[in-house]
Amino acid sequence: VLDVCDRYVVNGLSNCAVFLGPSMETVDIRNCTGCSFTVVGKEVRVTDSADCTLRVFTPGPVLLSNSHGIVLGRFNGAYSGLTAHFQRAGLTPSTGPVEATDFSSRDTELPA
């Protein structure tokens, strides 16, 4: 999706590549396996997902819950109009590190 959106909910994907333009609120990724995501959002959440790669920009930490095998990297997407879409979403691009808060680490039944 090469546009701005209020919120994205991505649910139940397997072995897919997904590119989402800036979200003014939350990017919510749920129940996904083996996917590659390139996303921008004020908040990014990953729940009940496994073995996914996220190239992400978010001003705060990526929130992980009941997920494993999640690889995080800096946003590397580009398209005509992206800078204007960041502005419309109220976001300022930066090249800082991607941080995560992993609530999954408290669940001893999830694989490492």
Side-chain angles (χ1 to χ4, degrees):
V1 178
L2 305 182
D3 204 353
V4 179
C5 188
D6 286 332
R7 179 178 181 195
Y8 294 107
V9 177
V10 181
N11 190 29
L13 298 182
S14 180
N15 301 312
C16 294
V18 177
F19 189 115
L20 300 175
S23 168
M24 292 186 274
E25 297 300 330
T26 303
V27 176
D28 197 355
I29 298 168
R30 305 174 186 164
N31 304 306
C32 293
T33 304
C35 294
S36 173
F37 294 94
T38 303
V39 300
V40 176
K42 281 192 180 170
E43 181 179 74
V44 177
R45 299 178 185 189
V46 180
T47 306
D48 297 322
S49 295
D51 305 320
C52 292
T53 299
L54 278 81
R55 304 293 289 185
V56 61
F57 172 80
T58 185
V62 175
L63 305 176
L64 303 173
S65 180
N66 298 321
S67 298
H68 64 276
I70 305 300
V71 177
L72 299 176
R74 284 190 289 197
F75 179 76
N76 63 350
Y79 62 87
S80 179
L82 179 61
T83 301
H85 290 169
F86 262 91
Q87 291 172 343
R88 279 183 42 208
L91 297 168
T92 304
S94 73
T95 57
V98 176
E99 298 179 359
T101 299
D102 189 355
F103 299 102
S104 306
S105 62
R106 298 185 185 121
D107 189 342
T108 58
E109 294 185 23
L110 288 173

